[in-house]
Amino acid sequence: MTHYLYLVRHGEHLDAEHGLVDGPLSPRGRRQAALLADRLSGVPFDAVWHSPLERAEETARAVAERLPSVAPQPTSLLFDCVPTGMTDDTPGIYEAFFGAYTEADIEAGSAQMADAVAEFLVRKPDAHELLITHNFVIGWFVREVLGAAPWRWLTINQAHCGLTVLAQRPGRPWSLVSHNDLAHLPFELRTGLPGFPPI
């Protein structure tokens, strides 16, 4: 009777290194998505949700090819966003990062993630749901489940098509089963993490 949430960051998108906000998956991103789909093919998903952005939608389509009984659905709750701004306890090193976002961006991100938590971190008995979304969104969900300080989402990162699993058993709080599992990806496809691969 456990409720499982499988959180996946989209595959690498084309020309991401040139600063494009969105786009189709790169050849490497398509390989990541196909291997993710193979990894998840035996899970009895009740629902597959994805961000409306192209890179997440295309990743969801790759999964759906292996899971023909499930139709992926877009939701604006999984858009890429910035869930908080600087707080009193946020390390000063992050000031430059937040300088790229307006107060309106941060207010919208905060409201979106409050709604996402209310929608998805609500127990459903014996359910398996897949959310294909973005790095910051997954970081926020993990931070929420762990009860960490609001700014800590900044320090929780996922690789492209990395797999994070949350679970809730009856009468218990949500738990982090695994984070950023990359077992399905060969070393050369493990992209998207800051400072990785290690030198």
Side-chain angles (χ1 to χ4, degrees):
M1 299 296 288
T2 303
H3 181 190
Y4 292 97
L5 277 182
Y6 302 77
L7 308 177
V8 169
R9 186 182 180 190
H10 58 81
E12 179 188 79
H13 71 279
L14 198 61
D15 293 330
E17 67 273 18
H18 300 303
L20 296 185
V21 174
D22 196 21
L25 295 182
S26 67
R28 187 160 53 185
R30 289 194 296 274
R31 289 179 61 205
Q32 291 165 340
L35 290 169
L36 170 71
D38 288 341
R39 172 82 182 273
L40 296 176
S41 62
V43 180
F45 286 115
D46 301 287
V48 176
W49 304 95
H50 64 86
S51 160
L53 292 177
E54 185 176 5
R55 58 193 187 268
E57 182 177 3
E58 190 173 340
T59 304
R61 283 200 306 268
V63 172
E65 289 176 3
R66 307 297 200 281
L67 300 165
S69 63
V70 177
Q73 299 294 319
T75 172
S76 59
L77 296 178
L78 298 179
F79 259 126
D80 202 4
C81 70
V82 175
T84 66
M86 286 291 291
T87 63
D88 291 342
D89 58 345
T90 305
I93 191 70
Y94 292 110
E95 285 186 20
F97 169 82
F98 285 115
Y101 298 95
T102 66
E103 285 187 21
D105 292 332
I106 293 166
E107 287 176 9
S110 177
Q112 175 190 318
M113 291 317 302
D115 289 345
V117 164
E119 176 70 20
F120 293 112
L121 289 183
V122 173
R123 178 171 166 71
K124 302 177 184 84
D126 200 25
H128 296 261
E129 296 180 287
L130 173 61
L131 312 183
I132 298 175
T133 181
H134 305 276
N135 190 41
F136 294 165
V137 174
I138 297 171
W140 185 262
F141 273 107
V142 172
R143 182 219 61 80
E144 180 75 18
V145 165
L146 296 179
W151 67 270
R152 294 295 299 190
W153 64 270
L154 285 159
T155 65
I156 302 171
N157 292 289
Q158 288 69 224
H160 294 121
C161 287
L163 177 62
T164 293
V165 182
L166 309 178
Q168 188 183 43
R169 295 170 62 189
R172 299 190 183 190
W174 282 94
S175 62
L176 179 63
V177 176
S178 65
H179 175 252
N180 196 41
D181 183 347
L182 303 178
H184 50 289
L185 298 177
F187 188 82
E188 67 272 13
L189 293 184
R190 297 179 181 184
T191 62
L193 285 173
F196 187 86
I199 298 172

